[in-house]
């Protein structure tokens, strides 16, 4: 059984009708600069911004918001660096030459 009553359905229909009417009015006014001038007295100014001018221009410029958290400020200061000394390392395969021989020959 449907839990939403007729009042909730009529409220949704009313909201949808109002939004449709508002959007249709905005489209109509954006198509007619004279009608836009009747609605707004300052519609011909360059700094005038409203929903009609945004739709007529095809969009809006969105500026990125500043970050909420600032990036870390690295202030690295090294003390006197230690001098590097060379160390002789014994070769890893010093005894590997025994593996270089082939397996013994089997005499039959």
């Amino acid at each position: 059984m449907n839990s939403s009553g007729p009042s909730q359905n009529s409220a949704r229909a009313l909201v949808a009708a109002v939004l449709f009417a508002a959007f249709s009015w905005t489209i109509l006014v954006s198509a007619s600069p004279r009608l836009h001038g009747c609605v707004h007295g300052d519609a011909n100014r360059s700094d005038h911004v409203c929903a009609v001018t945004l739709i007529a221009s095809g969009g809006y410029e969105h500026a990125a918001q500043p970050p909420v958290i600032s990036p870390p400020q690295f202030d690295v200061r090294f003390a006197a660096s230690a001098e590097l000394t060379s160390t002789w390392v014994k070769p890893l395969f010093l005894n590997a030459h025994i593996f270089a021989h082939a397996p013994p020959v089997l005499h039959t």
Side-chain angles (χ1 to χ4, degrees):
M1 196 159 157
N2 192 0
S3 63
S4 63
S7 63
Q8 191 175 13
N9 287 338
S10 61
R12 288 181 183 174
L14 178 66
V15 169
V18 168
L19 288 175
F20 178 74
F23 187 71
S24 299
W25 172 253
T26 307
I27 295 293
L28 176 71
V29 174
S30 68
S32 172
R34 181 180 286 168
L35 184 59
H36 187 216
C38 292
V39 174
H40 292 287
D42 63 343
N44 58 355
R45 291 179 44 197
S46 64
D47 62 341
H48 174 75
V49 177
C50 67
V52 173
T53 56
L54 292 176
I55 288 178
S57 69
Y60 64 96
E61 292 294 324
H62 175 71
Q65 296 294 321
V68 176
I69 300 173
S70 64
Q73 302 295 326
F74 294 111
D75 188 21
V76 180
R77 294 182 185 162
F78 292 103
S81 60
E83 290 190 27
L84 300 176
T85 57
S86 63
T87 304
W88 184 79
V89 178
K90 186 177 177 181
L92 295 175
F93 296 106
L94 187 62
N95 296 326
H97 66 280
I98 60 172
F99 299 115
H101 302 285
V105 177
L106 296 174
H107 297 283
T108 56

